[in-house]
Amino acid sequence: DVESRGLGDVYKRQDMNMGKIAIVTDSNSGITQDQARELEISVIPMPFYINEKLYLEGITLSQEEFYERLKNDEAISTSQPGPADVCGLWNTLLEKYDEVVHIPMSSGLSASCDTAMGLAQEYDGRVHVVDNQRISVTQRQSVLDALILRDAGRNATQIKQVLEEQKLDSSIYITLETLKYLKKGGRITPAAAAIGTVLNLKPVLQIQGEKLDAFAKVRGKKQARRTMLKAMKADFEGRFAPFVQNGEMCLQAAYTGNPEEAEEWKQEMQETFPGMEIHMDPLSLSVACHIGYGSLAIACSKKVTA
């Protein structure tokens, strides 16, 4: 099991590996540059513009700095990795590896996946872009799955196929601290945001594949937490029941800039799902941009069996 072995021991590449395959993802996966070095993968930093100046997630922009700038209402916009940067990385990797498996964030949340697919057409089948609708902790699991499949001797085409076949075998629920950023992004009207703030309404959003959608609207964060736990329990007992019985489901937590509250949330999750290991990461900044500080999320994804 990947989690029990720890990131550094997931895969020790050997020179005699059959058909050397490089694994690439982006910083939306939550995998840091240090963890990427341990895993022997490449993580492309997502670019952000703050007051029109370019920053790279995890390199020139830390989580702490991002939330500080967000709190100050500075002009923050997301972007996608430049084609020259993506191709430059692929070109470097292909000097050493036979093929590349590239796992970007969900095509429903960013154009970076479609861009990568277009660029890959110039590489004569040596670059395989996976569109498996994942983000944050579920995208991270896809990367670990790719490493397991590579370790088991699967080729790049097979890795892409398995990951895409399982793209809907994941689920994310998120609750927000504030409606400010949904209003800012035009997802709710200013009037609805004002009423929601007065009534202490907390939206629960979901990602079931392609995009961020509404799931429920409840009074207060405590009720929102209960709603998310109930929704995930229903997923475990319903559509994911066969995977749960086979020990193939991973349970995950995520948050936006509120680690202390997130630890309490993780404990609450542990009480609802006793005996399950829970991996927790800060939520991707590309999502945090649209929902703001103080969010909590629960997620699950099926892990591969090689």
Side-chain angles (χ1 to χ4, degrees), residues 210-240:
E210 286 193 14
K211 53 188 180 197
L212 196 62
D213 281 320
F215 178 75
K217 203 184 291 178
V218 297
R219 278 265 179 104
K221 214 165 186 182
K222 203 170 183 180
Q223 185 60 35
R225 288 186 187 194
R226 279 200 289 265
T227 299
M228 292 194 295
L229 290 170
K230 189 177 173 185
M232 187 57 73
K233 212 155 187 283
D235 283 345
F236 268 50
E237 292 168 0
R239 60 186 175 134
F240 298 141

PDB file of all heavy atoms in Angstrom, residues 210-240:
ATOM      1  N   GLU A 210     -16.345  16.572 -13.496  1.00  0.00           N
ATOM      2  CA  GLU A 210     -15.870  17.743 -14.225  1.00  0.00           C
ATOM      3  C   GLU A 210     -15.775  19.056 -13.471  1.00  0.00           C
ATOM      4  O   GLU A 210     -14.803  19.763 -13.572  1.00  0.00           O
ATOM      5  CB  GLU A 210     -16.733  17.962 -15.478  1.00  0.00           C
ATOM      6  CG  GLU A 210     -16.430  16.947 -16.552  1.00  0.00           C
ATOM      7  CD  GLU A 210     -17.025  17.322 -17.887  1.00  0.00           C
ATOM      8  OE1 GLU A 210     -17.436  18.481 -18.051  1.00  0.00           O
ATOM      9  OE2 GLU A 210     -17.085  16.456 -18.765  1.00  0.00           O
ATOM     10  N   LYS A 211     -16.810  19.469 -12.729  1.00  0.00           N
ATOM     11  CA  LYS A 211     -16.766  20.837 -12.207  1.00  0.00           C
ATOM     12  C   LYS A 211     -17.282  20.966 -10.788  1.00  0.00           C
ATOM     13  O   LYS A 211     -17.799  20.027 -10.203  1.00  0.00           O
ATOM     14  CB  LYS A 211     -17.541  21.767 -13.143  1.00  0.00           C
ATOM     15  CG  LYS A 211     -18.939  21.290 -13.420  1.00  0.00           C
ATOM     16  CD  LYS A 211     -19.595  22.141 -14.497  1.00  0.00           C
ATOM     17  CE  LYS A 211     -21.001  21.608 -14.716  1.00  0.00           C
ATOM     18  NZ  LYS A 211     -21.648  21.988 -15.876  1.00  0.00           N
ATOM     19  N   LEU A 212     -17.136  22.203 -10.282  1.00  0.00           N
ATOM     20  CA  LEU A 212     -17.595  22.558  -8.950  1.00  0.00           C
ATOM     21  C   LEU A 212     -19.077  22.896  -9.036  1.00  0.00           C
ATOM     22  O   LEU A 212     -19.467  23.792  -9.789  1.00  0.00           O
ATOM     23  CB  LEU A 212     -16.785  23.774  -8.480  1.00  0.00           C
ATOM     24  CG  LEU A 212     -16.775  24.168  -7.017  1.00  0.00           C
ATOM     25  CD1 LEU A 212     -16.176  23.074  -6.149  1.00  0.00           C
ATOM     26  CD2 LEU A 212     -15.995  25.461  -6.824  1.00  0.00           C
ATOM     27  N   ASP A 213     -19.917  22.185  -8.277  1.00  0.00           N
ATOM     28  CA  ASP A 213     -21.369  22.392  -8.306  1.00  0.00           C
ATOM     29  C   ASP A 213     -21.911  22.569  -6.903  1.00  0.00           C
ATOM     30  O   ASP A 213     -21.308  22.128  -5.925  1.00  0.00           O
ATOM     31  CB  ASP A 213     -22.069  21.164  -8.919  1.00  0.00           C
ATOM     32  CG  ASP A 213     -21.979  21.150 -10.432  1.00  0.00           C
ATOM     33  OD1 ASP A 213     -22.121  22.217 -11.037  1.00  0.00           O
ATOM     34  OD2 ASP A 213     -21.740  20.069 -10.995  1.00  0.00           O
ATOM     35  N   ALA A 214     -23.104  23.164  -6.803  1.00  0.00           N
ATOM     36  CA  ALA A 214     -23.789  23.278  -5.519  1.00  0.00           C
ATOM     37  C   ALA A 214     -24.260  21.897  -5.078  1.00  0.00           C
ATOM     38  O   ALA A 214     -24.643  21.068  -5.902  1.00  0.00           O
ATOM     39  CB  ALA A 214     -24.978  24.220  -5.645  1.00  0.00           C
ATOM     40  N   PHE A 215     -24.220  21.637  -3.776  1.00  0.00           N
ATOM     41  CA  PHE A 215     -24.740  20.386  -3.225  1.00  0.00           C
ATOM     42  C   PHE A 215     -25.838  20.656  -2.193  1.00  0.00           C
ATOM     43  O   PHE A 215     -26.901  20.064  -2.229  1.00  0.00           O
ATOM     44  CB  PHE A 215     -23.616  19.565  -2.586  1.00  0.00           C
ATOM     45  CG  PHE A 215     -24.084  18.286  -1.949  1.00  0.00           C
ATOM     46  CD1 PHE A 215     -24.435  17.191  -2.742  1.00  0.00           C
ATOM     47  CD2 PHE A 215     -24.198  18.167  -0.565  1.00  0.00           C
ATOM     48  CE1 PHE A 215     -24.895  16.010  -2.159  1.00  0.00           C
ATOM     49  CE2 PHE A 215     -24.639  16.987   0.023  1.00  0.00           C
ATOM     50  CZ  PHE A 215     -24.994  15.910  -0.780  1.00  0.00           C
ATOM     51  N   ALA A 216     -25.571  21.579  -1.250  1.00  0.00           N
ATOM     52  CA  ALA A 216     -26.566  21.900  -0.224  1.00  0.00           C
ATOM     53  C   ALA A 216     -26.260  23.287   0.342  1.00  0.00           C
ATOM     54  O   ALA A 216     -25.186  23.848   0.138  1.00  0.00           O
ATOM     55  CB  ALA A 216     -26.526  20.865   0.901  1.00  0.00           C
ATOM     56  N   LYS A 217     -27.258  23.853   1.059  1.00  0.00           N
ATOM     57  CA  LYS A 217     -27.084  25.134   1.729  1.00  0.00           C
ATOM     58  C   LYS A 217     -27.605  24.952   3.150  1.00  0.00           C
ATOM     59  O   LYS A 217     -28.755  24.570   3.341  1.00  0.00           O
ATOM     60  CB  LYS A 217     -27.900  26.201   1.001  1.00  0.00           C
ATOM     61  CG  LYS A 217     -27.412  27.625   1.219  1.00  0.00           C
ATOM     62  CD  LYS A 217     -28.330  28.619   0.545  1.00  0.00           C
ATOM     63  CE  LYS A 217     -28.230  28.528  -0.977  1.00  0.00           C
ATOM     64  NZ  LYS A 217     -29.161  29.472  -1.632  1.00  0.00           N
ATOM     65  N   VAL A 218     -26.767  25.179   4.153  1.00  0.00           N
ATOM     66  CA  VAL A 218     -27.159  24.895   5.531  1.00  0.00           C
ATOM     67  C   VAL A 218     -26.787  26.063   6.449  1.00  0.00           C
ATOM     68  O   VAL A 218     -26.016  26.944   6.077  1.00  0.00           O
ATOM     69  CB  VAL A 218     -26.490  23.596   6.050  1.00  0.00           C
ATOM     70  CG1 VAL A 218     -26.946  22.396   5.248  1.00  0.00           C
ATOM     71  CG2 VAL A 218     -24.970  23.708   6.013  1.00  0.00           C
ATOM     72  N   ARG A 219     -27.353  26.052   7.657  1.00  0.00           N
ATOM     73  CA  ARG A 219     -27.065  27.089   8.649  1.00  0.00           C
ATOM     74  C   ARG A 219     -25.834  26.731   9.469  1.00  0.00           C
ATOM     75  O   ARG A 219     -25.856  25.763  10.214  1.00  0.00           O
ATOM     76  CB  ARG A 219     -28.256  27.230   9.607  1.00  0.00           C
ATOM     77  CG  ARG A 219     -29.397  28.084   9.088  1.00  0.00           C
ATOM     78  CD  ARG A 219     -29.225  29.518   9.602  1.00  0.00           C
ATOM     79  NE  ARG A 219     -30.299  30.356   9.100  1.00  0.00           N
ATOM     80  CZ  ARG A 219     -31.324  30.746   9.843  1.00  0.00           C
ATOM     81  NH1 ARG A 219     -31.424  30.362  11.092  1.00  0.00           N
ATOM     82  NH2 ARG A 219     -32.230  31.546   9.330  1.00  0.00           N
ATOM     83  N   GLY A 220     -24.790  27.479   9.316  1.00  0.00           N
ATOM     84  CA  GLY A 220     -23.597  27.311  10.150  1.00  0.00           C
ATOM     85  C   GLY A 220     -22.659  26.208   9.697  1.00  0.00           C
ATOM     86  O   GLY A 220     -23.044  25.258   9.009  1.00  0.00           O
ATOM     87  N   LYS A 221     -21.401  26.338  10.094  1.00  0.00           N
ATOM     88  CA  LYS A 221     -20.359  25.417   9.645  1.00  0.00           C
ATOM     89  C   LYS A 221     -20.492  24.033  10.274  1.00  0.00           C
ATOM     90  O   LYS A 221     -20.134  23.022   9.668  1.00  0.00           O
ATOM     91  CB  LYS A 221     -18.977  26.010   9.948  1.00  0.00           C
ATOM     92  CG  LYS A 221     -17.932  25.643   8.902  1.00  0.00           C
ATOM     93  CD  LYS A 221     -16.723  26.511   9.040  1.00  0.00           C
ATOM     94  CE  LYS A 221     -15.736  26.253   7.920  1.00  0.00           C
ATOM     95  NZ  LYS A 221     -14.527  27.066   8.073  1.00  0.00           N
ATOM     96  N   LYS A 222     -21.005  24.006  11.528  1.00  0.00           N
ATOM     97  CA  LYS A 222     -21.189  22.727  12.209  1.00  0.00           C
ATOM     98  C   LYS A 222     -22.147  21.839  11.413  1.00  0.00           C
ATOM     99  O   LYS A 222     -21.890  20.648  11.182  1.00  0.00           O
ATOM    100  CB  LYS A 222     -21.743  22.981  13.614  1.00  0.00           C
ATOM    101  CG  LYS A 222     -21.481  21.873  14.603  1.00  0.00           C
ATOM    102  CD  LYS A 222     -21.850  22.335  16.017  1.00  0.00           C
ATOM    103  CE  LYS A 222     -21.508  21.246  17.011  1.00  0.00           C
ATOM    104  NZ  LYS A 222     -21.850  21.640  18.376  1.00  0.00           N
ATOM    105  N   GLN A 223     -23.236  22.454  10.956  1.00  0.00           N
ATOM    106  CA  GLN A 223     -24.224  21.722  10.150  1.00  0.00           C
ATOM    107  C   GLN A 223     -23.629  21.339   8.791  1.00  0.00           C
ATOM    108  O   GLN A 223     -23.909  20.263   8.259  1.00  0.00           O
ATOM    109  CB  GLN A 223     -25.484  22.582   9.968  1.00  0.00           C
ATOM    110  CG  GLN A 223     -26.645  21.894   9.258  1.00  0.00           C
ATOM    111  CD  GLN A 223     -27.141  20.660   9.991  1.00  0.00           C
ATOM    112  OE1 GLN A 223     -27.142  20.601  11.205  1.00  0.00           O
ATOM    113  NE2 GLN A 223     -27.519  19.635   9.236  1.00  0.00           N
ATOM    114  N   ALA A 224     -22.794  22.218   8.258  1.00  0.00           N
ATOM    115  CA  ALA A 224     -22.141  21.932   6.974  1.00  0.00           C
ATOM    116  C   ALA A 224     -21.234  20.711   7.098  1.00  0.00           C
ATOM    117  O   ALA A 224     -21.202  19.845   6.219  1.00  0.00           O
ATOM    118  CB  ALA A 224     -21.345  23.146   6.509  1.00  0.00           C
ATOM    119  N   ARG A 225     -20.500  20.627   8.196  1.00  0.00           N
ATOM    120  CA  ARG A 225     -19.633  19.463   8.428  1.00  0.00           C
ATOM    121  C   ARG A 225     -20.464  18.179   8.487  1.00  0.00           C
ATOM    122  O   ARG A 225     -20.097  17.165   7.887  1.00  0.00           O
ATOM    123  CB  ARG A 225     -18.874  19.620   9.752  1.00  0.00           C
ATOM    124  CG  ARG A 225     -17.770  20.659   9.751  1.00  0.00           C
ATOM    125  CD  ARG A 225     -17.050  20.547  11.085  1.00  0.00           C
ATOM    126  NE  ARG A 225     -16.063  21.584  11.295  1.00  0.00           N
ATOM    127  CZ  ARG A 225     -15.136  21.543  12.249  1.00  0.00           C
ATOM    128  NH1 ARG A 225     -15.089  20.513  13.074  1.00  0.00           N
ATOM    129  NH2 ARG A 225     -14.272  22.506  12.403  1.00  0.00           N
ATOM    130  N   ARG A 226     -21.578  18.256   9.226  1.00  0.00           N
ATOM    131  CA  ARG A 226     -22.444  17.075   9.343  1.00  0.00           C
ATOM    132  C   ARG A 226     -22.981  16.655   7.974  1.00  0.00           C
ATOM    133  O   ARG A 226     -23.049  15.469   7.661  1.00  0.00           O
ATOM    134  CB  ARG A 226     -23.618  17.373  10.293  1.00  0.00           C
ATOM    135  CG  ARG A 226     -23.248  17.250  11.763  1.00  0.00           C
ATOM    136  CD  ARG A 226     -24.472  17.066  12.636  1.00  0.00           C
ATOM    137  NE  ARG A 226     -25.267  18.275  12.717  1.00  0.00           N
ATOM    138  CZ  ARG A 226     -25.166  19.179  13.683  1.00  0.00           C
ATOM    139  NH1 ARG A 226     -24.284  19.021  14.653  1.00  0.00           N
ATOM    140  NH2 ARG A 226     -25.936  20.249  13.694  1.00  0.00           N
ATOM    141  N   THR A 227     -23.346  17.654   7.169  1.00  0.00           N
ATOM    142  CA  THR A 227     -23.881  17.387   5.820  1.00  0.00           C
ATOM    143  C   THR A 227     -22.832  16.685   4.953  1.00  0.00           C
ATOM    144  O   THR A 227     -23.137  15.732   4.233  1.00  0.00           O
ATOM    145  CB  THR A 227     -24.331  18.710   5.159  1.00  0.00           C
ATOM    146  OG1 THR A 227     -25.366  19.292   5.956  1.00  0.00           O
ATOM    147  CG2 THR A 227     -24.848  18.488   3.736  1.00  0.00           C
ATOM    148  N   MET A 228     -21.580  17.136   5.044  1.00  0.00           N
ATOM    149  CA  MET A 228     -20.512  16.536   4.239  1.00  0.00           C
ATOM    150  C   MET A 228     -20.219  15.103   4.673  1.00  0.00           C
ATOM    151  O   MET A 228     -20.026  14.217   3.838  1.00  0.00           O
ATOM    152  CB  MET A 228     -19.242  17.382   4.315  1.00  0.00           C
ATOM    153  CG  MET A 228     -19.372  18.735   3.648  1.00  0.00           C
ATOM    154  SD  MET A 228     -17.766  19.545   3.382  1.00  0.00           S
ATOM    155  CE  MET A 228     -17.224  19.830   5.064  1.00  0.00           C
ATOM    156  N   LEU A 229     -20.194  14.884   5.992  1.00  0.00           N
ATOM    157  CA  LEU A 229     -19.946  13.527   6.501  1.00  0.00           C
ATOM    158  C   LEU A 229     -21.057  12.566   6.081  1.00  0.00           C
ATOM    159  O   LEU A 229     -20.799  11.429   5.679  1.00  0.00           O
ATOM    160  CB  LEU A 229     -19.817  13.548   8.023  1.00  0.00           C
ATOM    161  CG  LEU A 229     -18.551  14.214   8.577  1.00  0.00           C
ATOM    162  CD1 LEU A 229     -18.644  14.390  10.088  1.00  0.00           C
ATOM    163  CD2 LEU A 229     -17.299  13.424   8.204  1.00  0.00           C
ATOM    164  N   LYS A 230     -22.288  13.067   6.141  1.00  0.00           N
ATOM    165  CA  LYS A 230     -23.439  12.246   5.741  1.00  0.00           C
ATOM    166  C   LYS A 230     -23.370  11.916   4.243  1.00  0.00           C
ATOM    167  O   LYS A 230     -23.625  10.787   3.822  1.00  0.00           O
ATOM    168  CB  LYS A 230     -24.727  13.016   6.059  1.00  0.00           C
ATOM    169  CG  LYS A 230     -25.997  12.207   5.896  1.00  0.00           C
ATOM    170  CD  LYS A 230     -27.215  13.035   6.300  1.00  0.00           C
ATOM    171  CE  LYS A 230     -28.497  12.293   5.967  1.00  0.00           C
ATOM    172  NZ  LYS A 230     -29.691  13.122   6.231  1.00  0.00           N
ATOM    173  N   ALA A 231     -22.980  12.910   3.429  1.00  0.00           N
ATOM    174  CA  ALA A 231     -22.874  12.708   1.977  1.00  0.00           C
ATOM    175  C   ALA A 231     -21.789  11.676   1.644  1.00  0.00           C
ATOM    176  O   ALA A 231     -21.987  10.792   0.801  1.00  0.00           O
ATOM    177  CB  ALA A 231     -22.572  14.031   1.282  1.00  0.00           C
ATOM    178  N   MET A 232     -20.646  11.777   2.340  1.00  0.00           N
ATOM    179  CA  MET A 232     -19.565  10.839   2.067  1.00  0.00           C
ATOM    180  C   MET A 232     -19.932   9.433   2.540  1.00  0.00           C
ATOM    181  O   MET A 232     -19.604   8.441   1.879  1.00  0.00           O
ATOM    182  CB  MET A 232     -18.273  11.327   2.735  1.00  0.00           C
ATOM    183  CG  MET A 232     -17.048  10.518   2.370  1.00  0.00           C
ATOM    184  SD  MET A 232     -16.722  10.458   0.569  1.00  0.00           S
ATOM    185  CE  MET A 232     -16.129  12.123   0.266  1.00  0.00           C
ATOM    186  N   LYS A 233     -20.647   9.341   3.670  1.00  0.00           N
ATOM    187  CA  LYS A 233     -21.085   8.044   4.179  1.00  0.00           C
ATOM    188  C   LYS A 233     -22.021   7.386   3.163  1.00  0.00           C
ATOM    189  O   LYS A 233     -21.926   6.186   2.886  1.00  0.00           O
ATOM    190  CB  LYS A 233     -21.809   8.230   5.520  1.00  0.00           C
ATOM    191  CG  LYS A 233     -21.652   7.075   6.480  1.00  0.00           C
ATOM    192  CD  LYS A 233     -21.827   7.530   7.930  1.00  0.00           C
ATOM    193  CE  LYS A 233     -21.496   6.385   8.879  1.00  0.00           C
ATOM    194  NZ  LYS A 233     -22.518   5.383   8.985  1.00  0.00           N
ATOM    195  N   ALA A 234     -22.896   8.209   2.562  1.00  0.00           N
ATOM    196  CA  ALA A 234     -23.823   7.700   1.536  1.00  0.00           C
ATOM    197  C   ALA A 234     -23.053   7.203   0.318  1.00  0.00           C
ATOM    198  O   ALA A 234     -23.407   6.179  -0.281  1.00  0.00           O
ATOM    199  CB  ALA A 234     -24.815   8.788   1.137  1.00  0.00           C
ATOM    200  N   ASP A 235     -21.980   7.908  -0.046  1.00  0.00           N
ATOM    201  CA  ASP A 235     -21.134   7.465  -1.170  1.00  0.00           C
ATOM    202  C   ASP A 235     -20.482   6.122  -0.844  1.00  0.00           C
ATOM    203  O   ASP A 235     -20.430   5.220  -1.684  1.00  0.00           O
ATOM    204  CB  ASP A 235     -20.040   8.500  -1.463  1.00  0.00           C
ATOM    205  CG  ASP A 235     -20.553   9.717  -2.221  1.00  0.00           C
ATOM    206  OD1 ASP A 235     -21.679   9.654  -2.766  1.00  0.00           O
ATOM    207  OD2 ASP A 235     -19.839  10.733  -2.254  1.00  0.00           O
ATOM    208  N   PHE A 236     -19.963   6.012   0.376  1.00  0.00           N
ATOM    209  CA  PHE A 236     -19.282   4.778   0.788  1.00  0.00           C
ATOM    210  C   PHE A 236     -20.243   3.594   0.840  1.00  0.00           C
ATOM    211  O   PHE A 236     -19.877   2.472   0.487  1.00  0.00           O
ATOM    212  CB  PHE A 236     -18.623   4.968   2.167  1.00  0.00           C
ATOM    213  CG  PHE A 236     -17.191   5.423   2.095  1.00  0.00           C
ATOM    214  CD1 PHE A 236     -16.823   6.511   1.311  1.00  0.00           C
ATOM    215  CD2 PHE A 236     -16.194   4.785   2.815  1.00  0.00           C
ATOM    216  CE1 PHE A 236     -15.511   6.934   1.241  1.00  0.00           C
ATOM    217  CE2 PHE A 236     -14.872   5.196   2.751  1.00  0.00           C
ATOM    218  CZ  PHE A 236     -14.530   6.278   1.962  1.00  0.00           C
ATOM    219  N   GLU A 237     -21.460   3.856   1.281  1.00  0.00           N
ATOM    220  CA  GLU A 237     -22.437   2.768   1.427  1.00  0.00           C
ATOM    221  C   GLU A 237     -23.212   2.508   0.142  1.00  0.00           C
ATOM    222  O   GLU A 237     -23.882   1.488   0.014  1.00  0.00           O
ATOM    223  CB  GLU A 237     -23.412   3.101   2.566  1.00  0.00           C
ATOM    224  CG  GLU A 237     -22.735   3.088   3.933  1.00  0.00           C
ATOM    225  CD  GLU A 237     -23.598   3.687   5.043  1.00  0.00           C
ATOM    226  OE1 GLU A 237     -24.745   4.121   4.734  1.00  0.00           O
ATOM    227  OE2 GLU A 237     -23.141   3.727   6.200  1.00  0.00           O
ATOM    228  N   GLY A 238     -23.105   3.436  -0.811  1.00  0.00           N
ATOM    229  CA  GLY A 238     -23.837   3.312  -2.066  1.00  0.00           C
ATOM    230  C   GLY A 238     -22.930   3.019  -3.239  1.00  0.00           C
ATOM    231  O   GLY A 238     -22.451   1.891  -3.411  1.00  0.00           O
ATOM    232  N   ARG A 239     -22.631   4.058  -4.019  1.00  0.00           N
ATOM    233  CA  ARG A 239     -21.916   3.826  -5.291  1.00  0.00           C
ATOM    234  C   ARG A 239     -20.510   3.262  -5.134  1.00  0.00           C
ATOM    235  O   ARG A 239     -20.001   2.596  -6.037  1.00  0.00           O
ATOM    236  CB  ARG A 239     -21.895   5.098  -6.139  1.00  0.00           C
ATOM    237  CG  ARG A 239     -21.233   6.288  -5.504  1.00  0.00           C
ATOM    238  CD  ARG A 239     -21.418   7.513  -6.410  1.00  0.00           C
ATOM    239  NE  ARG A 239     -20.908   8.711  -5.783  1.00  0.00           N
ATOM    240  CZ  ARG A 239     -20.134   9.591  -6.402  1.00  0.00           C
ATOM    241  NH1 ARG A 239     -19.769   9.407  -7.643  1.00  0.00           N
ATOM    242  NH2 ARG A 239     -19.720  10.666  -5.777  1.00  0.00           N
ATOM    243  N   PHE A 240     -19.845   3.522  -3.981  1.00  0.00           N
ATOM    244  CA  PHE A 240     -18.484   3.016  -3.814  1.00  0.00           C
ATOM    245  C   PHE A 240     -18.408   1.771  -2.937  1.00  0.00           C
ATOM    246  O   PHE A 240     -17.307   1.320  -2.594  1.00  0.00           O
ATOM    247  CB  PHE A 240     -17.580   4.103  -3.228  1.00  0.00           C
ATOM    248  CG  PHE A 240     -17.444   5.332  -4.098  1.00  0.00           C
ATOM    249  CD1 PHE A 240     -17.417   6.601  -3.528  1.00  0.00           C
ATOM    250  CD2 PHE A 240     -17.347   5.218  -5.474  1.00  0.00           C
ATOM    251  CE1 PHE A 240     -17.285   7.730  -4.326  1.00  0.00           C
ATOM    252  CE2 PHE A 240     -17.213   6.344  -6.283  1.00  0.00           C
ATOM    253  CZ  PHE A 240     -17.190   7.612  -5.710  1.00  0.00           C
TER     254      PHE A 240
END
